[in-house]
């Protein structure tokens, strides 16, 4: 079965084998050396002043960022499940919440951000997704973060980059907390969350808050290449292997350009099959198609072509399907996915199979990826 959901993504064989080695103890020089490389690798990827690993799913890093960096009132962009989740976390800590809500296909509007900042002078954190995975939507985070900093440079910008880190080069100039998780573009099993921090964020953490997610105590330990509590050792070992695999591929720059070229080719191929792309600003992490036959298409893909793609949630359940574009994807895998979608449309009596999808995909991918 080809796992083509926008998280979890497949774990490469080399990485699985590395993680199959006997467990080592975390309070040892051996693991400290592994942890040190993981920290260096992550710093290089995120380009942030500091990085922290947490043994949790991505949501743990969202919670830790709000808990340690917002002390009064948060402005949150909600254009899907994950934006909504930031709001729920803010409320869970009894912090004040200003929420900007959008339909799941619509990116946040800069004027709305400016207005909210003017109306609420006590906002001390702004939290949003770079890519809102619910609809495959890309928010204009660069512009938003800039506007926030122009308004007040002490407001922290918390960016959920769980489906953006490792997908594209992120402009971190105005970002204070950059969040990611293991099971998306980093192609690992779930369970490892990561946060990149700016020097302002490190300062704002102060004594830290909470216990397990206290970033002060965690950072202090991690700067000495250890952790406050038992780390996700196996996943950290796997992460170093993932970095090696990406290096073998040609490094992150090559991964970013390939991801971008493949995304363009996917969208063109899907459009050539008369399918409609859902978000007004599509993120590179996936292709999201709005179609009343979404569930039928997914079912055929899975049962007849061994391709597993994701559906929609809540009001988009049954109305969209989402195809992954994160990580090291073999060309032949994506070709098979596109071809299977065309065959599924044929089976549904909506088109006669002509191999148009793979033809368009190949043309666009080859010319944009200069193979
Ligand atoms: C997957 C994802 C998360 C985190 O989900 P977990 O299930 O907690 O790992 C958060 N934000 C975005 C944008 C995601 O895609």
């Amino acid at each position: 079965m080809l796992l083509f959901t926008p998280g979890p993504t497949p774990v490469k064989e080399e990485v699985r084998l590395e993680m199959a080695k006997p467990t080592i103890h975390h309070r040892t020089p051996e693991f400290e050396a592994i942890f040190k490389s993981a920290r260096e690798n992550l710093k290089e990827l995120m380009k942030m002043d500091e990085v922290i690993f947490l043994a949790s799913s991505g949501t743990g890093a969202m919670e830790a960022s709000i808990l340690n960096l917002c002390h009064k009132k948060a402005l949150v962009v909600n254009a899907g499940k994950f934006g909504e989740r930031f709001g729920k976390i803010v409320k869970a800590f009894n912090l004040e919440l200003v929420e900007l809500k959008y339909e799941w296909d619509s990116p946040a509007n800069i004027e709305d951000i400016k207005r909210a900042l003017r109306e609420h002078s006590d906002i001390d954190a702004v939290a949003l997704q770079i890519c809102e995975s619910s609809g495959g939507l890309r928010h204009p985070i660069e512009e938003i973060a800039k506007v926030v900093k122009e308004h007040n440079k002490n407001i922290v910008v918390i960016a959920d980059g769980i489906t953006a880190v490792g997908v594209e080069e992120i402009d971190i100039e105005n970002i204070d907390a950059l969040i990611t998780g293991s099971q998306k573009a980093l192609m690992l099993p779930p369970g490892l969350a990561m946060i990149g921090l700016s020097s302002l964020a490190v300062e704002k953490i102060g004594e830290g808050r909470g216990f397990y997610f206290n970033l002060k105590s965690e950072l202090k330990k991690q700067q000495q290449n250890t952790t406050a509590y038992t780390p996700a050792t196996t996943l950290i070992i796997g992460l170093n292997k993932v970095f090696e695999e990406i290096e073998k591929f040609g490094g992150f720059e090559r991964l970013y350009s390939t991801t971008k070229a493949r995304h363009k080719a996917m969208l063109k191929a899907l459009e050539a099959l008369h399918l409609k792309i859902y978000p007004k600003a599509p993120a590179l992490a996936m292709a999201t198609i709005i179609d009343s036959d979404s569930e039928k298409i997914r079912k055929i893909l899975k049962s007849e072509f061994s391709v597993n793609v994701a559906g929609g949630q809540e009001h988009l359940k049954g109305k969209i399907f989402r195809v992954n574009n994160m990580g090291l994807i073999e060309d032949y895998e994506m070709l098979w996915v596109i071809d299977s979608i065309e065959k599924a449309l044929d089976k549904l009596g909506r088109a006669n199979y002509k191999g148009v999808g793979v033809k368009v995909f190949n043309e666009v991918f080859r010319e944009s990826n200069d193979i």
Side-chain angles (χ1 to χ4, degrees), residues 90 128 193 282 328:
V90 168
L128 74 158
L328 293 165

Side-chain angles (χ1 to χ4, degrees), residues 200-361:
L200 173 71
V202 173
E203 203 181 294
K204 283 239 166 177
I205 286 169
E207 288 312 300
R209 294 172 79 196
F211 184 77
Y212 185 70
F213 286 139
N214 184 312
L215 295 182
K216 167 79 189 300
S217 46
E218 203 53 71
L219 184 59
K220 194 171 160 220
K221 289 284 184 188
Q222 297 197 12
Q223 283 169 334
Q224 298 155 30
N225 299 316
T226 183
T227 51
Y229 315 105
T230 310
T233 48
T234 307
L235 294 172
I236 289 167
I237 288 166
L239 182 66
N240 283 341
K241 194 70 186 175
V242 167
F243 282 113
E244 258 179 51
E245 291 300 309
I246 291 171
E247 197 52 45
K248 258 197 255 163
F249 177 74
F252 276 97
E253 242 161 70
R254 168 124 197 266
L255 178 60
Y256 297 150
S257 64
T258 306
T259 302
K260 193 172 174 194
R262 193 174 51 232
H263 189 253
K264 186 174 172 195
M266 280 168 91
L267 296 199
K268 291 277 182 211
L270 294 164
E271 280 165 358
L273 299 175
H274 306 292
L275 291 169
K276 192 173 178 309
I277 304 302
Y278 173 67
K280 289 177 188 143
L284 298 175
M286 69 194 79
T288 305
I289 296 101
I290 179 153
D291 196 290
S292 53
D293 285 332
S294 287
E295 284 316 287
K296 287 184 192 152
I297 293 170
R298 284 183 65 217
K299 215 166 167 184
I300 296 173
L301 289 178
K302 194 167 179 184
S303 61
E304 299 190 34
F305 302 103
S306 294
V307 174
N308 191 357
V309 301
Q313 290 166 290
E314 294 193 6
H315 66 295
L316 290 181
K317 198 169 165 55
K319 297 196 175 129
I320 59 166
F321 65 97
R322 296 172 293 157
V323 183
N324 178 49
N325 186 39
M326 289 179 281
L328 293 165
I329 297 172
E330 299 291 349
D331 296 352
Y332 59 82
E333 292 175 335
M334 189 57 91
L335 281 165
W336 176 250
V337 173
I338 298 286
D339 201 46
S340 303
I341 293 173
E342 185 171 352
K343 285 173 181 154
L345 292 173
D346 180 295
K347 281 181 184 286
L348 289 169
R350 287 177 41 171
N352 287 323
Y353 177 81
K354 292 197 197 85
V356 173
V358 290
K359 182 168 180 289
V360 171
F361 180 87

